[in-house]
Amino acid sequence: MTLAFTKMHGLSNDFVVVDASESAFLLNPMQIQALSDRNSGVGFDQLLVLEPSKQQGVDYYYRIFNADGTEAGQCGNGARCIGLFLEQKAGKSGKWVLQTQTTRLCVESRGNSCFRVYLPLPKFAAADIGFDPSLGLDFGEVLVDGIRIEYDAVDVGNPHIII
């Protein structure tokens, strides 16, 4: 099998971008894992797949796969790379509306290979994020090697614990 891709980097993350806007994306989780391997594959943190829009008012559907083959809901840093990819594909600066598994966002060229991603408003309550409220993940602390570490939960299209 031949797979055309673009390798990109942004803020210490590395991505492989596959343009499936004109042909079907057919990789399964095991193939994604093999590709992500840094010793025997291409190596990446996430695989970003650009597909045709599924909704009116959206330019492209954008899928995110983690190195283990699971699909993620959203990646703002990856969206910046998608913006650069689309700018190079179009041959001009632009603004694109993208839909992911969980989020509609806009990525806009700011010149000099810089991009702004307009994310949805963050959610901070565990119940709004999808965490079990009984876990108390809105905020808290954990001891690691005797050091008290405080954390908060936030969702900007995918849940995060922030330290």
Side-chain angles (χ1 to χ4, degrees):
M1 170 198 299
T2 301
L3 178 67
F5 66 88
T6 301
K7 180 86 180 234
M8 303 184 92
H9 300 268
L11 297 174
S12 298
N13 294 124
D14 62 329
F15 304 97
V16 162
V17 178
V18 173
D19 186 352
S21 61
E22 297 179 20
S23 60
F25 176 73
L26 302 172
L27 295 180
N28 64 43
M30 287 177 46
Q31 291 169 315
I32 293 170
Q33 286 177 14
L35 262 175
S36 74
D37 188 287
R38 296 187 187 281
N39 295 312
S40 60
V42 176
F44 57 79
D45 293 315
Q46 291 181 314
L47 172 67
L48 310 177
V49 181
L50 199 60
E51 296 181 340
S53 173
K54 298 178 181 184
Q55 299 173 337
Q56 193 169 18
V58 173
D59 297 306
Y60 292 95
Y61 191 73
Y62 148 57
R63 296 174 72 188
I64 305 104
F65 292 92
N66 296 314
D68 66 1
T70 59
E71 192 164 357
Q74 196 278 110
C75 178
N77 194 22
R80 293 172 51 248
C81 289
I82 290 291
L84 179 59
F85 182 86
L86 289 170
E87 181 177 81
Q88 291 173 345
K89 180 178 176 169
K92 62 181 180 177
S93 296
K95 185 175 186 178
W96 297 272
V97 177
L98 306 175
Q99 179 69 48
T100 72
Q101 185 182 52
T102 62
T103 308
R104 181 181 285 196
L105 54 91
C106 180
V107 61
E108 177 182 24
S109 175
R110 305 293 291 163
N112 296 325
S113 298
C114 293
F115 292 84
R116 177 180 289 163
V117 178
Y118 297 90
L119 297 171
L121 291 175
K123 300 173 189 170
F124 295 100
D128 293 338
I129 296 171
F131 291 131
D132 179 346
S134 69
L135 297 175
L137 290 176
D138 283 346
F139 59 90
E141 64 184 46
V142 63
L143 283 175
V144 176
D145 292 332
I147 300 170
R148 188 179 128 229
I149 299 174
E150 295 181 356
Y151 63 83
D152 289 299
V154 65
D155 185 320
V156 288
N158 57 338
H160 288 76
I161 295 294
I162 304 210
I163 297 173

